[in-house]
Amino acid sequence: MIGKIQFRIFAHSWISDWNHGNAHFLRGLAQELVQLGHEVRCYEESSSWSLTNLLQETGEPRETVLRRFRQSFPALDVRFYVDDHTFPRFAEQELKEADVVIIHEWNSLEIVNAILSLKSRFGFRALFHDTHHRAYTRPEEIQRYPLQAFDGVLAFGEAIRQIYEQVYKVHPTWTLHEAADTVHFQPLAREKDMDVVWIGNWGDEERTRELEEFLLGPAQRLRGRKIVAYGVRYPDDAKPRLEQANIEYRGYLPNLTTPEAYARSALSLHVPRTFYANGLSGIPTIRVFEALACGSPLICAPWSDAEGLFRQGEDYVCAEDSSAMESEIRHLLTDDLARRQISRNAIDTIMSRHTCRHRAMELVEICEQLSQ
């Protein structure tokens, strides 16, 4: 596999990021692999859950959504398939010349099995890619997959990697963190019309208590400040609670427009799901990388950066409880110098360690190890 690598990557969705944060990193990673001179084909099911919901929410024609995506990611070759009896034939045609096939963990078992059945015939290496918490929270769902048939696992955090190695007995495994797509996520010069922005989904009661403590509680006490929330899958009872807490809810925000939102807000918040603050400590979500890449001064609810990806207190500020969150917001909104310093620190850390170009080069190194 020395030289140009033929990558084939199967993911739930490339076109839509509606409740699908994995698309953020995957797009940037694939884009950088192409820039490094490799051939990349990206696959998604033609009626993916994310894309279907995006079209329903926005009311836009499918053709408009596809055209906008291709304008934003002209280097990506995205191909659609139907998840039915026709897929094996499709896979056979598409994987003949593949060197490395990456299968993201949101693919159906039928799709995974059909791809793996071609491994010995075509000689490609297959990697399972996990960027979620199911290996920890719902192991029975992951154990349905024939993990031993893969040539290895890419995990987006050390805690997840250890589960595959120690619990599922998969070898080899690698930690491949997510990272910022700095082609699209950069600082922008904009007038501030928000004090605080929270961009994230409510999410199946996985962080309701945390949102109450670190978003709604402080906002309730920060009357007179402009606090805005974006995201999808907010239950009906959450919306009036946001309004009562002095938070303006604006619904779905296409991911590529979030740099604009970060630029227009003095501060941004990160409230991790429960799992990432305890058993999966050390794994930041993609929003952290993106906010820091945009130079947005970020205040986080508690999470342990166990892998030392960032510099707490320099790249971002951590608030231990609701009162501390309120205090940090009040302080940073009145300290222009502190905000500018945090912004500079964050951008420096992202550009030196956590861009999708960094991850693409790491992935190429992993593929070279597989070829030895």
Side-chain angles (χ1 to χ4, degrees):
M1 263 187 281
I2 302 299
K4 183 177 181 179
I5 300 174
Q6 304 278 343
F7 285 99
R8 308 290 185 260
I9 309 177
F10 289 80
H12 171 72
S13 173
W14 296 87
I15 304 299
S16 171
D17 56 52
W18 193 97
N19 197 55
H20 184 50
N22 305 135
H24 305 190
F25 170 61
L26 290 171
R27 293 163 171 173
L29 177 68
Q31 174 180 254
E32 294 296 346
L33 288 171
V34 172
Q35 292 302 312
L36 289 172
H38 304 288
E39 180 181 291
V40 183
R41 294 183 193 170
C42 310
Y43 301 96
E44 71 170 89
E45 203 270 323
S46 59
S47 57
S48 72
W49 176 83
S50 180
L51 180 56
T52 298
N53 279 277
L54 174 68
L55 297 176
Q56 290 176 349
E57 175 141 339
T58 64
E60 294 181 306
R62 183 186 179 96
E63 295 72 21
T64 300
V65 172
L66 293 176
R67 182 171 60 252
R68 185 164 56 241
F69 172 83
R70 298 193 190 285
Q71 289 171 345
S72 299
F73 294 95
L76 296 194
D77 179 1
V78 178
R79 304 185 180 193
F80 296 93
Y81 63 84
V82 179
D83 189 354
D84 63 10
H85 68 280
T86 64
F87 180 78
R89 179 63 176 168
F90 174 87
E92 183 176 340
Q93 293 296 319
E94 291 292 324
L95 301 181
K96 286 180 180 178
E97 299 177 354
D99 294 316
V100 177
V101 178
I102 299 174
I103 305 176
H104 192 262
E105 50 94 17
W106 278 115
N107 284 281
S108 72
L109 179 60
E110 292 73 21
I111 293 298
V112 172
N113 285 335
I115 294 170
L116 292 176
S117 71
L118 299 171
K119 239 173 116 285
S120 59
R121 178 177 169 189
F122 292 147
F124 57 77
R125 301 301 182 97
L127 295 173
F128 192 71
H129 187 202
D130 193 330
T131 59
H132 198 255
H133 55 68
R134 287 194 299 166
Y136 174 70
T137 58
R138 299 196 294 276
E140 69 283 356
E141 295 184 13
I142 296 299
Q143 289 172 319
R144 294 184 306 118
Y145 296 107
L147 297 174
Q148 302 301 326
F150 286 86
D151 295 286
V153 169
L154 305 171
F156 79 141
E158 179 62 14
I160 293 292
R161 187 199 69 78
Q162 290 182 12
I163 290 173
Y164 279 96
E165 181 180 78
Q166 298 173 13
V167 180
Y168 301 153
K169 306 301 181 183
V170 178
H171 302 280
T173 58
W174 297 271
T175 297
L176 185 73
H177 293 109
E178 293 186 314
D181 171 10
T182 50
V183 173
H184 296 97
F185 287 81
Q186 303 172 1
L188 301 175
R190 298 290 188 272
E191 291 293 327
K192 308 295 184 188
D193 58 11
M194 294 179 280
D195 292 305
V196 180
V197 66
W198 148 256
I199 304 174
N201 303 333
W202 193 268
D204 298 325
E205 301 302 316
E206 292 174 354
R207 58 178 160 205
T208 301
R209 183 192 64 79
E210 289 81 0
L211 289 172
E212 290 279 2
E213 181 174 1
F214 293 99
L215 176 62
L216 276 69
Q220 181 76 45
R221 300 187 295 271
L222 287 165
R223 293 291 173 181
R225 294 296 188 175
K226 183 71 170 180
I227 303 175
V228 174
Y230 292 95
V232 301
R233 299 183 69 197
Y234 280 60
D236 291 339
D237 67 326
K239 296 172 185 177
R241 286 154 67 190
L242 291 172
E243 184 177 1
Q244 292 165 11
N246 186 41
I247 300 170
E248 180 183 338
Y249 174 60
R250 295 183 180 176
Y252 170 66
L253 182 69
N255 191 49
L256 290 185
T257 65
T258 58
E260 184 82 19
Y262 286 131
R264 290 169 47 206
S265 182
L267 303 173
S268 59
L269 298 187
H270 171 55
V271 183
R273 286 174 166 82
T274 303
F275 321 119
Y276 298 120
N278 48 49
L280 300 181
S281 61
I283 302 178
T285 65
I286 191 65
R287 297 288 185 192
V288 174
F289 293 105
E290 292 175 344
L292 298 187
C294 292
S296 179
L298 182 67
I299 308 178
C300 296
W303 71 283
S304 173
D305 186 6
E307 297 182 57
L309 300 178
F310 308 107
R311 301 167 295 176
Q312 182 175 326
E314 297 180 49
D315 299 329
Y316 69 95
V317 174
C318 194
E320 291 302 317
D321 54 32
S322 183
S323 178
M325 177 66 79
E326 178 190 353
S327 296
E328 293 291 356
I329 292 173
R330 290 187 185 277
H331 166 241
L332 287 176
L333 286 178
T334 58
D335 193 333
D336 295 345
L337 181 60
R339 292 201 310 275
R340 287 196 295 270
Q341 187 61 58
I342 292 172
S343 177
R344 285 193 294 267
N345 292 344
I347 294 168
D348 288 345
T349 294
I350 291 293
M351 297 307 295
S352 65
R353 303 176 59 191
H354 301 306
T355 70
C356 285
R357 174 59 66 96
H358 288 106
R359 301 299 183 260
M361 292 189 292
E362 291 172 28
L363 178 57
V364 170
E365 290 179 6
I366 289 170
C367 293
E368 297 298 350
Q369 293 174 30
L370 283 173
S371 68
Q372 295 174 2

